[in-house]
Each structure stands twice: as structure tokens, then as C-alpha cells.
Amino acid sequence: MEPSTPYGRSPSTPYRCAAPIPYGHSPSVLSVRLLAALLLVLLVVPEAAADDGPGAPTGWTVRPAGGGSGGQETRPYVYGEATPATVLRDLLSVTNPARTPLTVRLRGDGPAGAGLRFAAETVTVPARTRADVPFALSVPGDAVPGDLAGEIVAVGGGQEKRVPVRVRVGGPTLAALTVEDVEVSGRTIRYALVNRGNAPLRPRLAVRADGVFATLLDRPARPLDLELAPGRRVELTEPWPDVPALDSVTVRLRVAAEGGARDEAAASAVYVPVAPVVGGGLLALGVLALLGTGTYRRRDGRGTAMADPAGTAVTGLDGATDINPAGATLADPDGTSDTGPDRTTDSGPDRTTDTGPQAAQPAQESGPLAKAGAES
């Protein structure tokens, strides 16, 4: 058995040695020189990178705070999950790499941005410094489940920069859709859709019109080109070019959407030809006018006969005879004839003739005239 050695090798196996180190160059001296060179490079490069030159601050950035390895920011937008009536808190980093201070104004925009509150709306960031600004996002108590979107707007150094904000709101979802105010007007059907739930809806519409004897219109359900937000009301129209000429119709609208939301409503209308109705109305008015004129003429002929200027007598049903002003003779029922303001002839039983104060004239007998009135 061969004797063992302290290194576990045979004495006949030689060791390999490194090359001899030149005189005056020990390992410690080389390491020091290398470290000095690296430090010189590290000191010179940042100085050149930070030299942006004089003037207004440029190259500043704004983004959500927090990062990964090496301190690099990795969040491209602000994101959070919450329920109604809660508050989310986060940090916003504003970095100013320039040699002069930077003043930035912050505000929110959009549905999610309306609930943003910053610890300071105006922030002054010193040169070559990063400032982390706390902010809070309040979720409204009446917020509906789903996604809220908004933006953080930062304005400074003559530039405007935006950071997206996304919030996922949890809670039960309610889908409710109604169709209201259905009206049929000529060749157009008018109606309104209302989202009464807390979830966005994409409605579908079906239209049917029934006449007295048959179905006049039957359109199957089709999606409408709109997204109805919660609480939104929109007024729409549906064309109907082939309306009937004469019929009584009932138009029924049915709407449906995802989540089981559905509703229906109806309206009635009567269609009649316009020209026959107008012509019939004018004809009826003409007939009524003719009948009224004939009745008036019959009554006028039966009541009185007008006298012409030559003195033709007009005798009424009561026996009164009226002569034009030239003759001025008027026979009363008791037989008295009045011939004017100056002469009065009484043809009563005593046949007394009263003449006016001017001159006496023969009395006019009114007997035949009274008789003629009786015969008529």
C-alpha cells in the first residue's frame, strides 16, 4: 500500500504553477488601478447625461410611483379595485432631471378622474429631483359595477402629460331596460329607450304592426348600433315606408339586452286616404250650403213680398199692406191705412177719412187690398 500524502495525490504527480509575476506588479496594485479607472468613468458619465443646458426644464416625467428592480418604474397606469363608497390611495412620481426647478399643476379628468384629490395640486420639483405626490381616488356611492376610466393631467414646463387611471368597481349587477313614448307619425315610428339598471347595455329591437285583417310589418330582433350607459335615455326612430292607405294598425316594439333585460310597448294609429276625405268634406259643405239657402228663400217668400219703386203692394200674412215710400200706404189689421206723415185714412166701419192740415185729398179704400192679402 502506497503511503498517502496530505493532498491525496501521488508524489510523482507534479502541480502546475502560474506564470511568474513580473517584478514591481503585484495583484494588489493592478486592482487599485482598475478601481480608480471605473470610479473615474462613473463620475464623468452622469455629469454629461445631466447636462441639459440652461433654459426651461425639459424631459420631465410623471408616472405612478413604485417600481421593480433597479428602481425602474414599471406601472404604465394607475389601477385599483374597489366597491362603491370607498377610497383608493396611491402615489404619483414627478421627476425633474433638469438643472432648474420645475412647477407642475395636477388635476383629474374623465369619470374616474372626477374623484381624484391630490395632496398638492401645484408641485415644485427641485432640479435633478423626483417628488412623490400622494393622491386619493374616491369611488361614488352610486357607482355601478364595472370599469371606470380617467386620467391624471400634469401641466408644467410648457408641456402636458397624462397618466391613465383604471378602476374596477365590484358589486351586484342589475340589468333593466324599458321602451317608452312609442308614437306612430306617418311613415315614422318614434320611441325612447332608458337604461334603468347599473350595467351598460347593448339593446336589440323587434318591430311588429298588425292591421284589422292582417299583419302589415314584422321585423325580427336586431342589435342597435349604440351602448346604453346606466341611467341614460335616448330617443330613436324606426322608418316604415310601406304604411297602409286605409287601415287601423297597432304597432308593438320589443327590446331586449344582455342580463335578461327586456320590455315592450305599443301604440295605435289610423290611416285614411287624404284626397277622398277632403273631397267628401267639401261636398258635404256644399250640400249643407245649398239646403240652407233653399230654406231661407222659402221662408222669405212665405213671410213678406218686397215692393218695387213703382208702388207694387206687399201683403203679409196678417193682412198688412206696405207700399213704397212714393205711395206710403200701409194697411193695419184693423183696416186703418196710413198714407204718410200728413195723411191718415181710416177705413173702419164709419169710413172716416182724416186729412192732414195741408190739403184734403180723397180717402183711399183699403178693402180690396185687405182682401188681396187674405187671398194670398
Side-chain angles (χ1 to χ4, degrees), residues 104 150 159 197 244 254 305 334:
V104 177
Q159 299 178 358
R254 292 184 175 90
D334 57 355

Side-chain angles (χ1 to χ4, degrees), residues 36-63:
L38 289 175
L39 288 175
L40 181 61
V41 171
L42 292 176
L43 290 175
V44 171
V45 171
E47 181 70 18
D51 189 6
D52 295 332
T58 58
W60 61 277
T61 60
V62 56
R63 63 187 63 186

Side-chain angles (χ1 to χ4, degrees), residues 327-345:
T329 301
L330 205 64
D332 294 332
D334 57 355
T336 304
S337 299
D338 187 3
T339 59
D342 298 331
R343 297 178 303 224
T344 301
T345 303

Side-chain angles (χ1 to χ4, degrees), residues 321-332 335-347 352-357 359-366 369:
T321 301
D322 188 8
I323 302 179
N324 65 343
T329 301
L330 205 64
D332 294 332
T336 304
S337 299
D338 187 3
T339 59
D342 298 331
R343 297 178 303 224
T344 301
T345 303
D346 188 2
S347 58
T352 304
T353 301
D354 185 9
T355 60
Q361 295 189 8
Q364 299 181 2
E365 296 182 358
S366 59
L369 295 178

Side-chain angles (χ1 to χ4, degrees), residues 238-326:
E238 187 75 10
W240 187 12
D242 302 328
V243 297
L246 178 62
D247 206 343
S248 177
V249 299
T250 299
V251 177
R252 190 174 302 276
L253 303 183
R254 292 184 175 90
V255 294
E258 60 273 15
R262 62 182 65 252
D263 191 26
E264 68 176 60
S268 299
V270 177
Y271 289 91
V272 294
V274 177
V277 171
V278 174
L282 294 176
L283 180 61
L285 290 177
V287 171
L288 292 176
L290 291 175
L291 292 176
T293 303
T295 303
Y296 175 77
R297 288 181 177 178
R298 285 196 300 270
R299 290 182 177 177
D300 185 67
R302 185 177 300 173
T304 57
M306 299 301 297
D308 61 4
T312 305
V314 178
T315 305
L317 296 176
D318 55 359
T321 301
D322 188 8
I323 302 179
N324 65 343

Side-chain angles (χ1 to χ4, degrees), residues 209-235:
D210 296 319
V212 176
F213 302 104
T215 299
L216 305 175
L217 181 64
D218 191 4
R219 295 176 183 172
R222 74 180 194 281
L224 298 178
D225 188 17
L226 64 92
E227 182 178 20
L228 205 58
R232 182 186 175 192
R233 172 190 173 94
V234 59
E235 296 183 356

Side-chain angles (χ1 to χ4, degrees), residues 57 60-63 92-95 101-109 116-125 131 133-135 151-163:
W60 61 277
T61 60
V62 56
R63 63 187 63 186
L92 186 71
S93 294
V94 181
T95 303
L102 171 69
T103 300
V104 177
R105 296 187 302 274
L106 303 174
R107 62 180 177 88
D109 189 21
L116 287 171
R117 297 294 182 270
F118 300 92
E121 294 184 353
T122 302
V123 180
T124 299
V125 185
V133 182
F135 69 91
E151 290 179 321
I152 297 176
V153 182
V155 181
Q159 299 178 358
E160 178 181 289
K161 299 185 179 183
R162 295 173 176 262
V163 178

